[in-house]
Amino acid sequence: MTRRGGLALLFAGWAGVAGADVYGFRGAEGVVFFTDAPTEPGFELLIREGTPPPPLHWSEFARREAERQGIDPRLVRALIHAESRANPAAVSPKGAQGLMQLMPATARELGVADPFHPNDNVRGGIRYLAQLIQRYPGRLDWALAAYNAGPGAVDRHRGVPPFPETRRYVTTVLDNYQRLRRDEG
């Protein structure tokens, strides 16, 4: 990444907050200076006032959305890994789509216009997960089973259904979640 690109990326959101152009200059000893009113030659225009910040990468969007919904972002990451291996274009043999593998009907119910748009998919998937966690309080394993096999199957079996795929799924997500919690503190 170029010096200009790195500085622009670092302060992309600042211009909107400050309401001014942002100029940067790297001094002789590597110290970086930022200003909205350059006083000497050498300052480069990094961000023009009114330039929208770059879109959030889906992983950062997922972290923020999970926190907004009251869900541990590490759980969402574990679920995404189990569902799609973080592939926004993933399609399951049963037709589930995107990062969080939403079925088309579920995506429509959640207001997801484009299940292959990472942020739309993540917003809908997290909303669905939050609904399931609320439906099965204190039973994360049941909520995850419902995410995989549907709430009807969990209700019929009064818990994690005896489907090998669902049992593997719940174990995988919970194991990954515990590993992330342990690794990240």
Side-chain angles (χ1 to χ4, degrees):
M1 179 177 299
T2 66
R3 177 184 83 175
R4 185 178 187 281
L7 295 176
L9 184 60
L10 181 61
F11 283 90
W14 187 61
V17 173
D21 293 343
V22 177
Y23 296 83
F25 174 77
R26 183 179 307 272
E29 295 180 17
V31 176
V32 180
F33 301 92
F34 297 96
T35 183
D36 62 346
T39 56
E40 56 189 74
F43 277 90
E44 292 181 63
L45 177 64
L46 299 176
I47 301 172
R48 175 149 320 275
E49 179 180 6
T51 303
L56 291 176
H57 184 271
W58 69 260
S59 60
E60 177 60 17
F61 179 84
R63 182 189 65 76
R64 290 182 183 186
E65 187 67 15
E67 288 174 351
R68 192 178 75 71
Q69 291 281 343
I71 297 175
D72 186 339
R74 296 170 295 199
L75 175 61
V76 172
R77 286 184 18 228
L79 187 140
I80 287 172
H81 181 74
E83 287 288 351
S84 68
R85 298 286 191 261
N87 177 1
V91 178
S92 79
K94 294 179 182 176
Q97 302 170 328
L99 286 167
M100 295 189 75
Q101 291 290 278
L102 299 174
M103 292 298 288
T106 303
R108 280 190 300 277
E109 288 171 16
L110 295 165
V112 175
D114 180 1
F116 294 107
H117 185 281
N119 291 358
D120 286 350
N121 185 284
V122 164
R123 182 182 296 112
I126 291 172
R127 185 177 318 128
Y128 186 49
L129 180 59
Q131 291 170 2
L132 295 171
I133 289 171
Q134 200 168 33
R135 181 174 179 153
Y136 304 108
R139 294 306 312 248
L140 184 56
D141 57 338
W142 291 20
L144 293 172
Y147 195 96
N148 177 263
V154 171
D155 294 344
R156 273 192 311 281
H157 293 279
R158 294 186 182 98
V160 177
F163 314 143
E165 174 193 335
T166 301
R167 291 185 179 263
R168 276 192 308 274
Y169 172 83
V170 170
T171 299
T172 297
V173 174
L174 289 175
D175 286 351
N176 287 339
Y177 178 44
Q178 292 304 327
R179 181 184 49 77
L180 289 169
R181 289 177 64 189
R182 183 180 58 250
D183 292 351
E184 296 177 10

